[in-house]
Amino acid sequence: QVQLVESGGGLVQPGGSLRLSCTASPSIFSTYAMGWYRQAPGKQRELAATITSGGSTTYADSVKGRFTISRDNAKNTVYLQMNSLKPEDTAVYYCKAYRFPTTFWGQGTQVSVSS
């Protein structure tokens, strides 16, 4: 059974940093693209960042220059380093693993940015 387990969320002040981690089942990690999505209260889930199995990355304009996605294939883990956090970054952050036509989601981790 495929599992995605996120960690690293929490409460941080504006301007602060957090690093999210998502550990995936070894059976899928090396061949799947990975992504971080987020969903704020009352809003649709949106893309934050993605990384292919080969390491190519994409970012939403709203996080470009502040967030960095990376993956460690030896640890089956994808990371999202979030710097210069803003209150509008407050959301539940979800990890996604995908390779057409299959998609897996993690359970989500809450990130709250507030003074």
Side-chain angles (χ1 to χ4, degrees):
Q1 184 176 356
V2 173
Q3 285 189 314
L4 300 176
V5 180
E6 298 119 329
S7 62
L11 174 64
V12 64
Q13 291 186 340
S17 298
L18 282 174
R19 189 177 79 157
L20 305 183
S21 301
C22 172
T23 300
S25 300
S27 60
I28 68 163
F29 188 79
S30 63
T31 60
Y32 276 58
M34 303 295 294
W36 286 98
Y37 289 69
R38 63 187 186 180
Q39 187 166 18
K43 294 188 176 181
Q44 290 190 331
R45 192 173 297 188
E46 65 177 12
L47 168 73
T50 66
I51 185 166
T52 67
S53 56
S56 297
T57 59
T58 60
Y59 296 92
D61 287 343
S62 58
V63 308
K64 207 171 287 185
R66 300 187 299 121
F67 291 10
T68 302
I69 189 170
S70 61
R71 63 191 295 160
D72 185 336
N73 288 342
K75 295 182 178 180
N76 302 310
T77 300
V78 61
Y79 303 98
L80 186 67
Q81 178 66 44
M82 304 185 294
N83 298 329
S84 302
L85 282 161
K86 305 175 181 179
E88 52 263 43
D89 294 318
T90 295
V92 178
Y93 283 70
Y94 295 91
C95 178
K96 173 183 173 182
Y98 55 100
R99 187 182 71 181
F100 184 82
T102 304
T103 299
F104 300 101
W105 289 95
Q107 81 286 354
T109 185
Q110 177 70 47
V111 172
S112 299
V113 184
S114 175
S115 55

